[in-house]
Amino acid sequence: VTKKGSYFSTLAIAFKEARNPRVALAYTAGVVSRGDLSVVSTFFSLWLFNEAITMEMSRAEAFKLSTGFYVMVQAFAIPGAVLINFFIDKVDRVMALAIAMFIAACGYLYLGFIDDIFSNKMYFGAALLGLGEIFANISAISLIGSAAPAKGRGAVIGGFSFFGAIGILLVASIGGYLFDNVGPTAPFTMVGFANVSLFILALFLLFFEHKKNNSN
């Protein structure tokens, strides 16, 4: 089997396993969760830097401000990782994903309501963003880890990474357009609604699984 043939056969297995609703949801979570990471790393500091410049701060001061808040986001992600890992072990993985996506959505959508980056809203927004970012990513990884079958597990994990790359690409292209033509917080709003959509999908899956189990 050629390397090219092996790649496409592996991809075919990954798509085939998406007939399992939990695997399909995990793939979707891969798109959204990687998009979450991408929007923070690409646009968060840029937004704050530009805002600081418009307020007539020096470039050095603007850089210090934007970097400080970015570090704050990541600082809250560290305890958030411990918290979500503890929580995931206590509940169903799809339920954990739903809750994580709801919290993440709150963080991203909240940024659109910040009109002054020097207000307390900004500190709260950065903290919520850090928690939501790590909650979404770890819960997505946890779901694919539990949903992937023993046979073809590598292909399914690879499929998750494939869809994650799509999420990064979408945020870079669409998010960049929104940042330039709509507003600096528009990419975060876009990602926030993506998290809301995944939250709803997770609830639907839980509902149908519960209904199916009760009918058996």
Side-chain angles (χ1 to χ4, degrees):
V1 180
T2 64
K3 185 176 181 180
K4 183 176 180 181
S6 177
Y7 172 79
F8 283 110
S9 62
T10 300
L11 198 59
I13 295 172
F15 278 101
K16 182 180 178 181
E17 292 297 334
R19 290 181 298 180
N20 178 343
R22 288 196 167 220
V23 172
L25 182 67
Y27 285 165
T28 308
V31 176
V32 176
S33 63
R34 289 298 185 272
D36 287 359
L37 286 176
S38 180
V39 77
V40 173
S41 61
T42 305
F43 299 109
F44 185 70
S45 294
L46 180 60
W47 163 45
L48 294 178
F49 181 84
N50 289 345
E51 283 290 310
I53 292 296
T54 61
M55 294 178 180
E56 299 184 349
M57 293 180 68
S58 67
R59 295 180 67 86
E61 290 173 328
F63 179 77
K64 183 179 179 180
L65 174 77
S66 60
T67 302
F69 274 114
Y70 183 79
V71 170
M72 182 179 177
V73 170
Q74 304 310 319
F76 272 87
I78 295 172
V82 176
L83 182 62
I84 190 62
N85 275 309
F86 174 80
F87 179 72
I88 283 173
D89 290 334
K90 306 297 181 182
V91 299
D92 182 272
R93 299 296 169 90
V94 176
M95 176 60 76
L97 180 74
I99 295 171
M101 288 300 164
F102 178 79
I103 295 172
C106 291
Y108 292 107
L109 294 175
Y110 180 80
L111 296 184
F113 296 96
I114 297 177
D115 49 12
D116 181 5
I117 62 173
F118 295 102
S119 68
N120 290 331
K121 287 182 179 180
M122 191 66 240
Y123 291 94
F124 178 74
L128 190 57
L129 194 64
L131 292 175
E133 174 190 45
I134 200 66
F135 281 6
N137 275 273
I138 291 180
S139 63
I141 293 170
S142 175
L143 178 59
I144 194 62
S146 65
K151 185 177 180 180
R153 186 175 183 83
V156 172
I157 300 298
F160 177 80
S161 298
F162 171 80
F163 283 102
I166 291 177
I168 294 172
L169 181 62
L170 288 174
V171 166
S173 55
I174 301 175
Y177 175 83
L178 293 175
F179 188 92
D180 292 333
N181 296 281
V182 178
T185 60
F188 302 100
T189 302
M190 175 189 72
V191 170
F193 279 117
N195 280 272
V196 170
S197 299
L198 191 55
F199 164 71
I200 295 172
L201 286 175
L203 291 183
F204 269 119
L205 180 56
L206 286 171
F207 172 77
F208 285 117
E209 285 184 343
H210 180 72
K211 186 176 180 181
K212 182 179 178 180
N213 291 335
N214 285 343
S215 63
N216 292 336

